[in-house]
Amino acid sequence: MKSKSIRKNFALSLVTALTWWPVLRATETASEATPLAPSAEPPVAAISVAPDTAPKNEVTEQLAKPKKHGAKGKNKISAAAKSDRKSATTTNDAVVSVFGSASTLAAGEIAEAVVSIFGSSTSAGQVGDAVVSVFGSSTSSGEVGDAVVSVFGHTRVTGGTVGGDAMAILGNNFINGHVQGDVVAILGDVDLGPAAIVDGDITCIGGVVTRDAHAVVNGKVGNLAIGSRATGFAGLQAWLTQCLLYARPLAFGPNLHWAWWLALNALVFYAVMAWAAPSAVEQCVRTLEDRPGKSLLAGVLTWLLTPVAFVLIALTALFVIGFALLPLFALGVFIVSLFGRVVMLAWLGRQLKKLFQRSSLDRPVIAVLLGGVVVLGLYTVPVIGFILYLQIGLVGFGVVVYTILLTYQQNKKTAALGLPPVDEPDAGAVPLVASLPLIISAATLPRAGFWRRLLAAFLDVVVVSLTFVLLHRVWPSLGGVFPFWLAIYCISLWATKGATIGGIICGLKVVRLDDRPVSWSVAAVRGLSAFLSLAIAGLGFIWVAFDDDKQSWHDKIAGTTIVKVPKGTPLI
């Protein structure tokens, strides 16, 4: 049993080393390769002359060398590969692609290596070194001098000969050719076709080995199960390729139902937390609404200081108290982070009340569920999904910590003055003096600051992005760039409603300094002037944070500003 454990540990270490060795080897070879000397004759003549007089390049020399693996010493390129080499018409140092494009080597071509990062590699020719894909699949049907490797993808050897190993990490391994080394699959399956010949061993960790009756395996077959049985990892593979690769937590596709199941269960858990502590949720939401800038700043500071606090508490572990504080502090950070997400979902759900005019959305549980549905939909948008996920966690954590500090300061002042705690007025109480109708004007209402305007602009970008993607799928011929459609969206809503959707959620409204209605001409001037504010590193937008009148450059050009509307004021 001890020797088997040592063998398994050695195999895992060897698999890790071999995974990155082809990538480093292909990069080193491609960087050190020198171009062939100029010749008066084309490369075809140089390759097709007799072996004793033909000039040799690095690729042909690499293909001519026999590959040895371990103590076997019998791995050699087949005679068919040598004869096919004479009929090759194109020679490349290496075929390398990065970020989305595929690396392809056609039949009859020769290359030192075929490498693809965030893409797939396909080879039907002769490769002197390796075929490698990271976040993609590797397929080989020709001759490969060394290994065929896929990291976060599938490996397929559909024919020809592989002088080294065929490996797949977090992917499946299909073999229907001659592999002179080992076949390895980590968190994936191994499938041997009828024409499969494996001279080395087969190692499958966390997957299932399927073998055709005509497949030949000269080594040993090892199938290491994770848990009580061997199982496939198609769901994890699908999440890595369809979600992580596109920087989003969720996506619609096969084998992703488990991710949606986890997300929906998390949403139900957040709703239960809101039901259990509604007053705490409402208090944190009020803090975010009244102090959005300071809440964001608190989130950034707590994100920076939390690791420092962990280190300081870990240093106190030299004393007895440190061992008790460290797990308690970690548990507190975890609970606060979860509660922060509840607060952010409740805040988003309550902002939607202004769109639907439903008082039932004031309840924290209903607000969390509605906000959660919206957030789950946004999680499927590439890049924006992960940004939103991180921002919700960051701001939510800061809001909870900031609310705790405010409550502590208020209680401390109350205790110092010896005053009883002041109860908040009942929301359903009728005021003794009838309220006057609200006049929305730059002279009567406070002007919006930089952070609130930035949040509204971010929400508008998300709305326009989703709409543009959906319309483009329905009408693929729909043209225009994104800033053009964003400007049309803003100008239309400014002229008709005085506020965009992001402004309605954040309680903002565009008004003129002379209190006249925002006309189409004023809205167009403001929208076109926004490109000027954006042109110089966005300085025209940042100007709001330093201007005494809280105006951006395009506000000053159009004679407008943005005011904060009191809660409950209809903007539609």
Side-chain angles (χ1 to χ4, degrees):
M1 295 298 292
K2 184 177 181 180
S3 61
K4 290 183 179 180
S5 177
I6 296 176
R7 179 180 175 83
K8 291 178 181 178
N9 293 332
F10 176 76
L12 291 175
S13 302
L14 182 61
V15 165
T16 305
L18 289 177
T19 301
W20 294 106
W21 167 249
V23 179
L24 299 176
R25 173 62 180 162
T27 306
E28 178 184 359
T29 306
S31 61
E32 295 179 356
T34 57
L36 298 175
S39 175
E41 296 182 1
V44 177
I47 296 176
S48 61
V49 294
D52 54 347
T53 61
K56 298 181 179 179
N57 54 35
E58 294 181 3
V59 178
T60 55
E61 288 180 358
Q62 180 70 23
L63 288 171
K65 293 180 182 179
K67 294 289 180 178
K68 296 183 180 181
H69 295 269
K72 296 180 178 62
K74 60 182 179 179
N75 301 321
K76 297 181 179 180
I77 299 298
S78 62
K82 295 180 180 179
S83 61
D84 290 343
R85 212 174 295 134
K86 296 180 180 181
S87 61
T89 59
T90 305
T91 301
N92 300 314
D93 291 337
V95 180
V96 180
S97 65
V98 182
F99 294 112
S101 59
S103 298
T104 303
L105 185 69
E109 295 182 345
I110 293 178
E112 182 66 24
V114 180
V115 180
S116 181
I117 310 297
F118 291 99
S120 298
S121 299
T122 303
S123 174
Q126 283 80 50
V127 180
D129 199 342
V131 178
V132 180
S133 295
V134 180
F135 280 103
S137 299
S138 298
T139 302
S140 174
S141 58
E143 306 298 323
V144 180
D146 198 349
V148 179
V149 180
S150 297
V151 182
F152 301 114
H154 306 301
T155 296
R156 293 177 58 84
V157 179
T158 58
T161 302
V162 178
D165 301 330
M167 305 172 58
I169 298 179
L170 283 171
N172 300 326
N173 205 336
F174 172 75
I175 307 297
N176 199 36
H178 188 185
V179 178
Q180 297 178 346
D182 298 332
V183 174
V184 179
I186 299 178
L187 301 184
D189 301 332
V190 174
D191 187 9
L192 302 180
I197 301 176
V198 180
D199 294 338
D201 298 334
I202 295 178
T203 302
C204 181
I205 300 176
V208 179
V209 178
T210 304
R211 179 177 176 180
D212 189 88
H214 298 87
V216 178
V217 179
N218 296 322
K220 298 180 180 179
V221 178
N223 198 173
L224 179 62
I226 295 180
S228 59
R229 62 182 180 88
T231 180
F233 286 85
L236 181 58
Q237 297 167 10
W239 187 84
L240 290 171
T241 55
Q242 300 181 41
C243 296
L244 182 61
L245 186 59
Y246 293 92
R248 57 184 177 183
L250 295 172
F252 297 100
N255 299 320
L256 289 175
H257 56 277
W258 64 273
W260 285 98
W261 183 84
L262 289 178
L264 293 176
N265 277 271
L267 179 58
V268 172
F269 178 74
Y270 294 154
V272 171
M273 293 183 67
W275 172 80
S279 59
V281 173
E282 292 179 356
Q283 187 175 3
C284 292
V285 170
R286 285 196 298 269
T287 301
L288 179 59
E289 292 177 345
D290 297 337
R291 301 176 177 89
K294 293 182 179 180
S295 298
L296 179 60
L297 180 61
V300 175
L301 291 178
T302 52
W303 180 75
L304 294 175
L305 295 178
T306 298
V308 179
F310 267 109
V311 173
L312 294 177
I313 295 177
L315 292 178
T316 62
L318 298 175
F319 306 97
V320 179
I321 190 174
F323 293 101
L325 287 180
L326 191 59
L328 292 177
F329 182 74
L331 179 62
V333 170
F334 177 72
I335 294 176
V336 169
S337 62
L338 290 180
F339 197 78
R341 294 187 177 275
V342 175
V343 171
M344 293 302 297
L345 296 181
W347 172 81
L348 180 59
R350 290 184 62 174
Q351 302 309 308
L352 295 176
K353 170 194 173 183
K354 300 176 182 178
L355 294 177
F356 300 104
Q357 297 294 323
R358 301 292 296 272
S359 59
S360 60
L361 296 181
D362 288 335
R363 298 178 58 186
V365 176
I366 304 300
V368 166
L369 291 176
L370 182 58
V373 171
V374 175
V375 169
L376 290 181
L378 295 176
Y379 278 171
T380 61
V381 182
V383 181
I384 294 179
F386 264 138
I387 293 177
L388 182 62
Y389 179 82
L390 296 177
Q391 289 296 326
I392 287 178
L394 176 66
V395 179
F397 193 89
V399 169
V400 176
V401 173
Y402 188 42
T403 303
I404 294 174
L405 292 177
L406 290 177
T407 304
Y408 172 76
Q409 292 177 355
Q410 184 178 2
N411 293 337
K412 187 176 180 181
K413 291 180 179 179
T414 303
L417 296 176
L419 299 176
V422 180
D423 296 332
E424 295 184 359
D426 187 6
V430 180
L432 298 178
V433 180
S435 59
L436 298 176
L438 177 66
I439 300 176
I440 300 178
S441 170
T444 59
L445 295 178
R447 301 190 181 186
F450 172 76
W451 292 109
R452 187 182 289 264
R453 293 172 64 149
L454 180 63
L455 178 61
F458 173 75
L459 295 176
D460 288 330
V461 170
V462 172
V463 170
V464 177
S465 299
L466 292 175
T467 306
F468 183 77
V469 170
L470 294 177
L471 292 178
H472 188 70
R473 289 186 177 182
V474 178
W475 295 289
S477 59
L478 183 65
V481 293
F482 177 77
F484 169 77
W485 291 110
L486 181 61
I488 295 297
Y489 159 83
C490 292
I491 292 173
S492 302
L493 289 181
W494 288 338
T496 56
K497 300 297 181 181
T500 60
I501 295 178
I504 293 174
I505 294 176
C506 297
L508 304 179
K509 187 177 181 65
V510 178
V511 296
R512 295 178 61 173
L513 297 179
D514 56 6
D515 291 337
R516 289 189 295 174
V518 178
S519 61
W520 280 95
S521 59
V522 173
V525 170
R526 190 176 191 272
L528 296 177
S529 301
F531 290 100
L532 177 62
S533 299
L534 184 64
I536 307 177
L539 183 60
F541 289 92
I542 303 175
W543 197 263
V544 177
F546 308 99
D547 188 65
D548 294 335
D549 296 328
K550 301 295 183 182
Q551 284 182 293
S552 60
W553 289 358
H554 47 281
D555 277 326
K556 293 181 179 297
I557 294 174
T560 59
T561 188
I562 297 180
V563 297
K564 295 188 293 184
V565 180
K567 300 177 184 179
T569 303
L571 294 176
I572 300 178

